[in-house]
Amino acid sequence: MRPQLNDVLITAVLPVYNEAAVIPELFRRVSGAIQNSGAQQEIVFVDDGSNDGSGELLDELAADHDFVRVIHLSRNFGHQAAVHAGLAHATGDVTFLLDSDMQDAPEALERMLLQWQAGYDVVYAVRRERPEQLWKRILFAGFHRFLGAISDTPVPTDAGNFSLIDARVVDEILRLGDRDRYLPGLRAWVGFKQIGINVRRLPRYDQKPRVSIRGLWRLAKTAIFSFSTFPLFVFTLIGYAALGVFAGLACFTLFCKLFTSLAIPGWTSEVLTASFFGAINALGISMLGEYVVRIYDQVRGRPLYLVDRAVNLRGERCERRGLTLAERDECYEQLLRDAEELVEMTEPAVHADGQPATEEPERGAEG
Ligand code: UDP
Ligand code: MG
C-alpha cells in the first residue's frame, strides 16, 4: 500500500546543460505538476558544466525556494553522468526523472503517479511519437528494436530516461557498479514491478540537441555492450562458418590433388593452411571474448539477484546457519523483547496511527 500523496515527497531530477532560455518555464511547469499532485516537492537540478548562465539562474531559483537543490558538476560530464548525480542526491519517496529541454512533458506526472499508487515501482514513458528528423527517427527506432532483440535482459522499446522511479529502485540502480551507464537498461535490469505508459515526445524548444551525434553513438554502444553478448556470438558464428569452409575446401583440394591432375604444385597446401588458420583465428577471438566477458562481469560486480520481498524471514540476525529451530525461536523472542525495550526507552512514543502516547489508546476489536 502506498501512502497518501500529501505524505509523499516527490523529487524531480533534471540534468541541465546550457538550457538557460528555458529554465524559468521549466521550473514553473515541473513545480506546478508536483503541486497539482498534492505531494511535497524537491527539485534537484544538475548543472552539467553549463557556460550560458544556467548555473547562476539555478542558484537564483535555489535562493528563492528551499526545495530546489542544485548540483554543479566541475565540468561537462555528459547526460548519463548528470542523471546519475541527480539520482544520487534525490531524497524523495519517488523520483521523477526528465530532460530539461521540454521534450518530456512534466504534466505526465499525474498519469505516472496513478500507476505508482497502483503498486508499480517504475513507470517509464514509451515515446510513441518523436518530432525529430526522419533519419534520426529511423535510427532511434532501429536501435531500440535491435537492442530489444539482442539484449540479455529485456529492455523496453522506445523508452528513454523519462520515468517515475520508486526510492528503493533508485537505490538499487545507484548501487550497480557499471561505469558506462545506460539508464534505461540499468533500470530494466534491476527488475521490480515496471510498466510503460504512452507519452508523446515533444519537440526540443530550441532545435539544438545538447547530446552530440558522437554522444548518441557512444550511448548506443554502451547499451549494446553492457546488455548483450551478441557481438561476441557473431564471432563464434563466423568461426564455425570458417571451419565449415575449411572442411569443404579440404575435401575439394584433396580430391583434386589425389584423383585429378588439376592441382598445381603448392595450391592444396596453401588453400588448406590459409582457410584452417582463418577459422582458428575467428574461433580463438570468440574464445578470448568469453574470458573478457567474464572478466567484465566480475569487475563491474552487478549483484547475482535482487530481492523484492521475503516471506517468513523475520530478521537476518536469527536466520543464521547452524541455529536449531528452537534457538531461532528464542532469538526471535529476544528480538521482540529488545524492540519493546527500545520503545519504552524512547517514550513519549508515537503510536502507529500517529496519535501521541499520552492519549489513552483506543481499544482495538481484539481488546
Ligand atoms: N544534457 C546534459 N549534459 C550533456 C548533454 C545534455 O546534462 O552533456 C542534458 C540536457 O540539458 C537535456 C538532457 O540532458 O536536459 C537531454 O539532452 P538532449 O535534449 O540534447 O538529448 P536528446 O533529447 O537529443 O536525447
Ligand atoms: Mg532532448
Side-chain angles (χ1 to χ4, degrees):
M1 260 301 275
R2 304 281 191 209
Q4 292 285 319
L5 277 180
N6 44 16
D7 290 330
V8 168
L9 174 65
I10 298 181
T11 303
V13 167
L14 298 131
V16 174
Y17 181 49
N18 292 344
E19 312 279 15
V22 82
I23 284 172
E25 161 86 351
L26 176 74
F27 169 72
R28 199 181 50 73
R29 281 180 54 190
V30 172
S31 180
I34 304 181
Q35 263 169 26
N36 283 346
S37 73
Q40 295 149 45
Q41 59 178 326
E42 173 184 64
I43 303 186
V44 176
F45 286 104
V46 181
D47 169 20
D48 185 16
S50 301
N51 50 24
D52 70 338
S54 295
E56 292 71 21
L57 267 179
L58 294 175
D59 285 347
E60 281 169 27
L61 280 180
D64 293 343
H65 308 274
D66 56 6
F67 58 85
V68 173
R69 328 222 181 282
V70 188
I71 315 295
H72 296 279
L73 302 190
S74 60
R75 63 168 172 85
N76 178 247
F77 281 92
H79 186 190
Q80 294 290 315
V83 165
H84 186 79
L87 292 180
H89 288 86
T91 61
D93 303 296
V94 61
T95 294
F96 182 41
L97 178 61
L98 70 168
D99 285 352
S100 308
D101 57 355
M102 296 298 191
Q103 288 203 268
D104 303 330
E107 292 71 25
L109 175 66
E110 193 183 340
R111 282 197 294 141
M112 289 182 165
L113 275 173
L114 281 178
Q115 300 294 348
W116 180 71
Q117 293 233 284
Y120 286 97
D121 300 296
V122 173
V123 188
Y124 54 83
V126 178
R127 289 142 174 190
R128 278 286 162 248
E129 285 171 47
R130 299 185 81 102
E132 277 115 342
Q133 298 109 306
L134 183 67
W135 66 269
K136 244 185 166 180
R137 286 210 305 268
I138 293 174
L139 278 185
F140 275 119
F143 162 74
H144 280 288
R145 268 138 205 88
F146 181 61
L147 182 65
I150 65 166
S151 162
D152 304 327
T153 9
V155 180
T157 310
D158 296 327
N161 288 349
F162 191 19
S163 51
L164 187 74
I165 315 176
D166 189 83
R168 67 177 179 151
V169 180
V170 170
D171 286 342
E172 297 296 357
I173 293 174
L174 289 173
R175 257 209 289 274
L176 297 180
D178 296 51
R179 285 194 56 82
D180 280 331
R181 297 180 80 87
Y182 174 65
L183 186 94
L186 297 173
R187 192 182 58 205
W189 188 90
V190 295
F192 299 95
K193 278 185 82 182
Q194 307 214 358
I195 191 170
I197 60 167
N198 287 341
V199 171
R200 258 191 77 220
R201 187 145 165 89
L202 305 170
R204 196 176 216 291
Y205 71 97
D206 64 355
Q207 309 297 334
K208 287 193 205 108
R210 304 300 190 263
V211 179
S212 60
I213 299 293
R214 203 167 135 245
L216 286 178
W217 174 245
R218 278 185 42 200
L219 187 64
K221 280 197 304 181
T222 297
I224 288 167
F225 291 114
S226 300
F227 294 98
S228 171
T229 50
F230 177 76
L232 183 62
F233 179 63
V234 170
F235 251 97
T236 314
L237 284 186
I238 293 175
Y240 287 137
L243 215 53
V245 170
F246 165 69
L249 279 177
C251 295
F252 177 65
T253 49
L254 285 176
F255 174 79
C256 290
K257 171 105 186 142
L258 298 176
F259 301 109
T260 72
S261 55
L262 291 172
I264 35 175
W267 173 71
T268 315
S269 56
E270 199 171 297
V271 167
L272 285 186
T273 331
S275 58
F276 175 74
F277 283 105
I280 291 295
N281 264 336
L283 285 174
I285 289 173
S286 80
M287 209 182 287
L288 279 180
E290 291 289 348
Y291 283 103
V292 172
V293 163
R294 279 160 180 75
I295 295 169
Y296 182 36
D297 268 351
Q298 188 84 39
V299 168
R300 77 184 155 187
R302 281 190 198 160
L304 293 183
Y305 60 84
L306 298 176
V307 176
D308 180 7
R309 58 201 181 89
V311 180
N312 267 355
L313 262 186
R314 284 175 284 177
E316 268 174 42
R317 252 171 64 186
C318 306
E319 302 289 340
R320 277 174 288 125
R321 275 199 199 87
L323 289 187
T324 64
L325 286 181
E327 281 168 338
R328 284 184 191 202
D329 281 343
E330 167 56 26
C331 176
Y332 294 135
E333 275 159 26
Q334 186 61 44
L335 270 187
L336 281 178
R337 281 197 294 274
D338 288 352
E340 276 163 18
E341 236 169 65
L342 200 69
V343 170
E344 275 164 27
M345 275 161 53
T346 51
E347 289 286 336
V350 174
H351 292 297
D353 60 1
Q355 297 300 314
T358 42
E359 284 178 25
E360 192 56 26
E362 275 178 34
R363 280 187 169 274
E366 75 282 3

